[in-house]
Amino acid sequence: MACIRAAGLTKSYGGTAAVDGVSLSVEPGRVFGFLGPNGAGKSTMIKMLTTLVRPDSGSIEILGIDAVAEPLRVRRRIGVVLQQPSYEPTLSVENALEKYGMMWGVPRDERKRRAARLMDEFGLGDIKHKRNEDLSIGQRRRVQVAREFMHEMDLLFLDEPTVGLDPSARRDLLDYLKERTGGGLTIFYTTHILTEAEYLCDEIAVIDGGRIHTTGTPDELRRRFGSGRTVRLRLDTEAPGLAARLSGIPGCEALPGGTVVIRSESPEEALRLVLGALDGSGAKIEEISAEPETLEDAFLRMMRKDAPGS
Ligand SMILES: Nc1ncnc2c1ncn2[C@@H]1O[C@H](COP(=O)(O)OP(=O)(O)OP(=O)(O)O)[C@@H](O)[C@H]1O
Ligand SMILES: [Mg+2]
């Protein structure tokens, strides 16, 4: 049975669709990455899946429960870390964890044990007596994520949990999450950072403008989008009129300063056309280099190509 099953989910604000007919399914024990730029619809999607926002249309099944009809049953089984900070300013880190455990009905001894373990795992030991309002942004975010592990859950939703974390805290968190999925937890994870999704997720859906553009494992996405190559030609001069002559060649771009870049899955044909265009332009090639396109490049290129007006 799928842990999350959403079909045709739509939510509009003021006539504009924030999420526009999204369907997806997530199997138990997997990390599902929802990857997209600012305003793509990631948080709106998380809010619908966690029953905080009601969809305009579509259906949601969480752990086999109809989430629109029975939101409370769903909420008891899931953990949620929303994008906006949420904390009680005057509580200490230790008390914040314990209080959260109390809210979830975790017995006292178990609560103490879990809080101690989480403070250790999330590197919060040294600041456990500090009040939340006195913490740095990254520390506060770590408390917010750690606190969610005070209770048992089958499914955890994380909305950009690493924002504000330094590189080492970020890596620690991703490794911690990986370990927890090894223990059976299912995770729905949003980010706009591709490398993070690649590192953590078993499956990635790329969302923009409220729609899923593509879905696949990191390997599949790499094969689908990362197979391109970039050929770069450095010229001895910025030949006048060259940009116009290159403009019709697919994947080709003349940069200021006399550099020509070809981005393509098979750049050979474009290269032949570029060489033809250069012929008689007066410019000489000083250097040619070729490099494989990274998934990040391919992702950005895809987003630009799909952007409205492009
Ligand atoms: N409560 C709301 N009222 C009006 N518009 C909203 C509301 N919530 C979201 N939107 C709009 O819906 C779109 C999607 O927003 P959403 O917060 O889901 O994006 P996101 O992918 O989470 O972006 P970010 O990476 O910046 O967090 C945006 O255009 C946003 O302005
Ligand atoms: Mg968001």
Side-chain angles (χ1 to χ4, degrees), residues 9-21 39-41 44 56 208-211:
L9 275 191
T10 297
K11 175 74 196 172
S12 294
Y13 292 107
T16 308
V19 170
D20 190 3
T44 306
D56 296 337
D208 194 19
R211 293 192 180 165

Short mmCIF file of all heavy atoms in Angstrom, two decimals, residues 9-21 39-41 44 56 208-211:
data_model
loop_
_atom_site.label_atom_id
_atom_site.label_comp_id
_atom_site.label_asym_id
_atom_site.label_seq_id
_atom_site.Cartn_x
_atom_site.Cartn_y
_atom_site.Cartn_z
N LEU A 9 -4.68 16.90 -7.45
CA LEU A 9 -4.79 17.93 -6.41
C LEU A 9 -4.65 19.33 -7.00
O LEU A 9 -3.70 19.62 -7.72
CB LEU A 9 -3.68 17.76 -5.38
CG LEU A 9 -3.93 16.78 -4.26
CD1 LEU A 9 -2.84 16.95 -3.20
CD2 LEU A 9 -5.31 17.00 -3.66
N THR A 10 -5.60 20.17 -6.64
CA THR A 10 -5.58 21.55 -7.12
C THR A 10 -5.93 22.49 -5.98
O THR A 10 -6.80 22.20 -5.15
CB THR A 10 -6.60 21.72 -8.27
OG1 THR A 10 -6.20 20.89 -9.36
CG2 THR A 10 -6.66 23.15 -8.76
N LYS A 11 -5.18 23.60 -5.91
CA LYS A 11 -5.51 24.64 -4.93
C LYS A 11 -5.19 26.00 -5.56
O LYS A 11 -4.07 26.23 -6.01
CB LYS A 11 -4.67 24.44 -3.66
CG LYS A 11 -4.84 25.53 -2.63
CD LYS A 11 -6.17 25.41 -1.92
CE LYS A 11 -6.54 26.68 -1.19
NZ LYS A 11 -7.90 26.64 -0.65
N SER A 12 -6.18 26.86 -5.58
CA SER A 12 -5.96 28.20 -6.17
C SER A 12 -6.11 29.26 -5.10
O SER A 12 -6.86 29.11 -4.13
CB SER A 12 -7.00 28.47 -7.26
OG SER A 12 -6.80 27.59 -8.32
N TYR A 13 -5.36 30.33 -5.27
CA TYR A 13 -5.52 31.53 -4.45
C TYR A 13 -5.83 32.69 -5.38
O TYR A 13 -5.03 32.97 -6.28
CB TYR A 13 -4.24 31.82 -3.66
CG TYR A 13 -3.93 30.80 -2.59
CD1 TYR A 13 -2.90 29.88 -2.76
CD2 TYR A 13 -4.68 30.75 -1.42
CE1 TYR A 13 -2.61 28.94 -1.78
CE2 TYR A 13 -4.40 29.82 -0.43
CZ TYR A 13 -3.37 28.91 -0.62
OH TYR A 13 -3.09 27.99 0.35
N GLY A 14 -6.96 33.32 -5.17
CA GLY A 14 -7.33 34.48 -5.98
C GLY A 14 -7.30 34.20 -7.46
O GLY A 14 -6.83 35.01 -8.24
N GLY A 15 -7.77 33.03 -7.85
CA GLY A 15 -7.87 32.72 -9.28
C GLY A 15 -6.60 32.16 -9.89
O GLY A 15 -6.59 31.75 -11.04
N THR A 16 -5.49 32.15 -9.10
CA THR A 16 -4.25 31.58 -9.64
C THR A 16 -3.98 30.24 -8.97
O THR A 16 -4.04 30.15 -7.73
CB THR A 16 -3.06 32.53 -9.36
OG1 THR A 16 -3.43 33.82 -9.83
CG2 THR A 16 -1.81 32.06 -10.07
N ALA A 17 -3.68 29.24 -9.78
CA ALA A 17 -3.44 27.91 -9.21
C ALA A 17 -2.04 27.84 -8.59
O ALA A 17 -1.05 28.04 -9.28
CB ALA A 17 -3.59 26.85 -10.29
N ALA A 18 -1.98 27.60 -7.28
CA ALA A 18 -0.69 27.38 -6.61
C ALA A 18 -0.26 25.94 -6.85
O ALA A 18 0.92 25.65 -7.02
CB ALA A 18 -0.82 27.66 -5.12
N VAL A 19 -1.23 25.03 -6.84
CA VAL A 19 -1.00 23.62 -7.20
C VAL A 19 -2.07 23.26 -8.21
O VAL A 19 -3.25 23.54 -8.01
CB VAL A 19 -1.07 22.70 -5.96
CG1 VAL A 19 -1.07 21.23 -6.37
CG2 VAL A 19 0.11 22.98 -5.02
N ASP A 20 -1.64 22.66 -9.31
CA ASP A 20 -2.53 22.55 -10.46
C ASP A 20 -2.60 21.12 -10.99
O ASP A 20 -1.83 20.73 -11.87
CB ASP A 20 -1.96 23.51 -11.54
CG ASP A 20 -2.93 23.69 -12.70
OD1 ASP A 20 -4.04 23.13 -12.65
OD2 ASP A 20 -2.56 24.39 -13.65
N GLY A 21 -3.45 20.31 -10.37
CA GLY A 21 -3.66 18.95 -10.87
C GLY A 21 -2.50 18.01 -10.62
O GLY A 21 -2.08 17.30 -11.53
N GLY A 39 7.93 29.73 -5.04
CA GLY A 39 6.58 29.93 -5.58
C GLY A 39 6.08 28.78 -6.43
O GLY A 39 5.02 28.87 -7.05
N ALA A 40 6.82 27.67 -6.46
CA ALA A 40 6.45 26.54 -7.33
C ALA A 40 5.19 25.82 -6.87
O ALA A 40 4.48 25.21 -7.66
CB ALA A 40 7.60 25.54 -7.40
N GLY A 41 4.91 25.91 -5.56
CA GLY A 41 3.74 25.22 -5.01
C GLY A 41 4.09 24.14 -4.00
O GLY A 41 3.23 23.37 -3.57
N THR A 44 2.37 24.71 -0.49
CA THR A 44 0.92 24.50 -0.64
C THR A 44 0.63 23.01 -0.71
O THR A 44 -0.32 22.50 -0.10
CB THR A 44 0.42 25.21 -1.92
OG1 THR A 44 0.82 26.57 -1.87
CG2 THR A 44 -1.08 25.11 -2.05
N ASP A 56 -8.97 22.38 -3.41
CA ASP A 56 -10.19 22.74 -4.14
C ASP A 56 -10.78 21.51 -4.81
O ASP A 56 -11.99 21.34 -4.88
CB ASP A 56 -9.88 23.78 -5.23
CG ASP A 56 -9.38 25.09 -4.64
OD1 ASP A 56 -9.68 25.35 -3.47
OD2 ASP A 56 -8.68 25.83 -5.36
N ASP A 208 7.00 23.08 -10.89
CA ASP A 208 7.10 24.51 -11.16
C ASP A 208 5.73 24.98 -11.64
O ASP A 208 5.03 24.23 -12.32
CB ASP A 208 8.17 24.79 -12.22
CG ASP A 208 8.54 26.28 -12.27
OD1 ASP A 208 8.24 26.98 -11.28
OD2 ASP A 208 9.10 26.73 -13.27
N GLY A 209 5.36 26.17 -11.23
CA GLY A 209 4.07 26.70 -11.64
C GLY A 209 2.92 25.78 -11.23
O GLY A 209 1.90 25.71 -11.91
N GLY A 210 3.09 25.07 -10.09
CA GLY A 210 2.01 24.23 -9.57
C GLY A 210 1.87 22.88 -10.27
O GLY A 210 0.98 22.10 -9.93
N ARG A 211 2.75 22.61 -11.24
CA ARG A 211 2.63 21.34 -11.97
C ARG A 211 3.90 20.52 -11.88
O ARG A 211 4.99 21.09 -11.86
CB ARG A 211 2.38 21.61 -13.45
CG ARG A 211 1.05 22.23 -13.69
CD ARG A 211 0.73 22.22 -15.15
NE ARG A 211 -0.58 22.83 -15.31
CZ ARG A 211 -1.06 23.24 -16.46
NH1 ARG A 211 -0.36 23.07 -17.54
NH2 ARG A 211 -2.26 23.79 -16.50
#
